Amino acid sequence: MLILKPHQLLFSITLVMGILIAVSSSSWFILWMGLELNLLSFIPILTSSSNRYSAESALKYFLIQALGSASLLAACPLSMTIPQLAVLIISSALLLKVGAAPFHFWFPPVMQGISWLQSLTLMTIQKITPIAMMSSLLHDTSTQIIILSSISSSIVGGLGGLNQTLTRKIISYSSINHMAWLLAAVSFNERLWLIYFSSYTLISASVVAILHSNQIFHFNQLLTMNLLSKPLKLALLLSLLSLGGMPPLLGFLPKMLVIQEFILTQTSLIWLASLLVSALLTLFFYLRMALSSLILSSPKLKSSLQNPQHRSSLILPFLNLSPLLYPLILLIAY
């Protein structure tokens, strides 16, 4: 059971307040204030971990986000003289904040130094405001940047995770790959990226729930995890396959909607091909993680379901089967 300390609860509230202020504001200055409130709330959350590398990750995160915020401020006076250059700087700053390629260099190292719950926050909640800003800033110049960043994110996310043995780095490169799909959804319409982001958040939470409850940080730990429990094996397999977009699981639906928009709008086939090929690459290292725990797990360990925390972590992963019950409803609603 997750119990927040008083200071963690306070900073979590201000973090959400910063997101709400930024998303609901009609002024760029108020939006920037919301971004800064969100940043200054997340830094203490990162440093509150007992991990000795958390301070280093917090410093890296602060420097990168400060650079992004400074770039946003620098673009304000340029918007009156050279508007296209201002849009280019703002788009680049937002891509830097979300860790999309080619500005992804900080994302895996920061993920490696923080806990699983903080990683989940970094992969999901911290991306809401920059993505919402990109969605409202779709011009000709920014759209070209988003396309280039989406293609490069798909390549980096697919190839970067192949040679990794640390689970947090694997999930971080997975997040970069999903960022490519999110940028594609942003370029189409707001409703599409909201659907994709909501699905991605739920699926990521299901994966993190298993990895956090079993404290898995290295690939080898999957071989010695308490996996005599068949429901735990199945939950991990379903979560990873859903994260890779395998039909008919939950992760397949938003990707199918993005592909449908590509076909209807007749957008660049090279862009779509890079997304599909990278999805196959990510699915490969998801399967490598899942099969390691399924086939090579040690038979000498006790069942992990004896721990109530592990038992509760199985509820969320099986939500990935929900599209089997209502796929037509989601498609009609969309």
Side-chain angles (χ1 to χ4, degrees):
M1 182 177 179
L2 178 61
I3 300 177
L4 294 177
K5 298 178 181 178
H7 70 280
Q8 291 177 329
L9 180 61
L10 172 64
F11 288 120
S12 298
I13 293 174
T14 55
L15 184 143
V16 175
M17 284 179 57
I19 294 175
L20 295 177
I21 290 173
V23 172
S24 61
S25 66
S26 57
S27 167
W28 280 95
F29 180 72
I30 302 298
L31 191 148
W32 174 80
M33 288 180 57
L35 276 174
E36 296 307 301
L37 178 61
N38 175 264
L39 169 62
L40 295 177
S41 301
F42 191 53
I43 295 298
I45 294 177
L46 290 179
T47 55
S48 63
S49 174
S50 57
N51 186 355
R52 62 180 179 176
Y53 298 109
S54 60
E56 179 184 351
S57 295
L59 180 60
K60 290 178 181 177
Y61 182 77
F62 173 75
L63 292 175
I64 291 298
Q65 298 299 315
L67 177 61
S69 299
S71 301
L72 285 175
L73 288 179
C76 293
L78 284 175
S79 61
M80 298 183 179
T81 56
I82 315 175
Q84 291 185 346
L85 180 59
V87 171
L88 174 63
I89 295 175
I90 291 174
S91 302
S92 301
L94 295 176
L95 292 172
L96 176 66
K97 280 182 169 291
V98 297
F103 310 105
H104 67 283
F105 53 89
W106 63 273
F107 195 76
V110 170
M111 283 274 291
Q112 181 56 32
I114 57 181
S115 67
W116 275 117
L117 296 179
Q118 294 167 352
S119 299
L120 179 63
T121 305
L122 180 60
M123 290 189 298
T124 56
I125 297 176
Q126 291 301 99
K127 293 183 178 181
I128 294 176
T129 306
I131 293 175
M133 292 176 65
M134 280 188 280
S135 179
S136 62
L137 192 71
L138 283 179
H139 295 54
D140 292 337
T141 306
S142 60
T143 303
Q144 295 173 3
I145 299 170
I146 287 176
I147 292 174
L148 292 175
S149 178
S150 176
I151 294 174
S152 56
S153 295
S154 64
I155 296 172
V156 169
L159 296 178
L162 293 177
N163 62 342
Q164 298 296 328
T165 57
L166 301 171
T167 52
R168 279 174 294 189
K169 282 197 173 182
I170 291 176
I171 299 301
S172 68
Y173 281 105
S174 164
S175 179
I176 294 173
N177 180 263
H178 280 279
M179 195 66 224
W181 288 86
L182 259 174
L183 291 175
V186 166
S187 65
F188 290 123
N189 58 70
E190 183 177 359
R191 183 173 55 178
L192 182 57
W193 79 257
L194 285 173
I195 293 174
Y196 194 101
F197 185 82
S198 301
S199 303
Y200 171 67
T201 301
L202 181 60
I203 299 166
S204 298
S206 67
V207 174
V208 169
I210 297 177
L211 298 179
H212 171 69
S213 61
N214 292 276
Q215 290 298 294
I216 299 173
F217 301 108
H218 195 275
F219 193 82
N220 290 336
Q221 290 177 283
L222 289 168
L223 309 181
T224 57
M225 191 171 65
N226 294 341
L227 281 180
L228 282 181
S229 166
K230 292 183 180 179
L232 187 60
K233 291 181 180 181
L234 183 59
L236 180 61
L237 178 64
L238 289 177
S239 298
L240 291 173
L241 290 182
S242 182
L243 195 61
M246 179 71 74
L249 302 175
L250 180 60
F252 171 69
L253 288 180
K255 288 188 176 182
M256 184 181 66
L257 295 176
V258 172
I259 295 172
Q260 181 181 352
E261 287 294 330
F262 269 102
I263 296 173
L264 293 177
T265 58
Q266 296 181 353
T267 315
S268 172
L269 291 179
I270 298 177
W271 188 7
L272 177 59
S274 66
L275 293 175
L276 293 176
V277 172
S278 67
L280 292 177
L281 292 175
T282 55
L283 191 59
F284 169 75
F285 56 78
Y286 295 147
L287 283 172
R288 187 176 61 176
M289 290 177 62
L291 293 178
S292 298
S293 58
L294 283 170
I295 301 174
L296 302 175
S297 57
S298 172
K300 299 180 180 180
L301 298 175
K302 295 181 180 179
S303 174
S304 63
L305 288 186
Q306 295 175 358
N307 191 333
Q309 181 183 2
H310 295 173
R311 191 183 303 116
S312 62
S313 68
L314 293 178
I315 299 174
L316 193 57
F318 281 100
L319 291 178
N320 290 301
L321 288 172
S322 56
L324 293 176
L325 304 177
Y326 56 89
L328 293 179
I329 299 177
L330 282 181
L331 293 178
I332 293 173
Y334 175 76

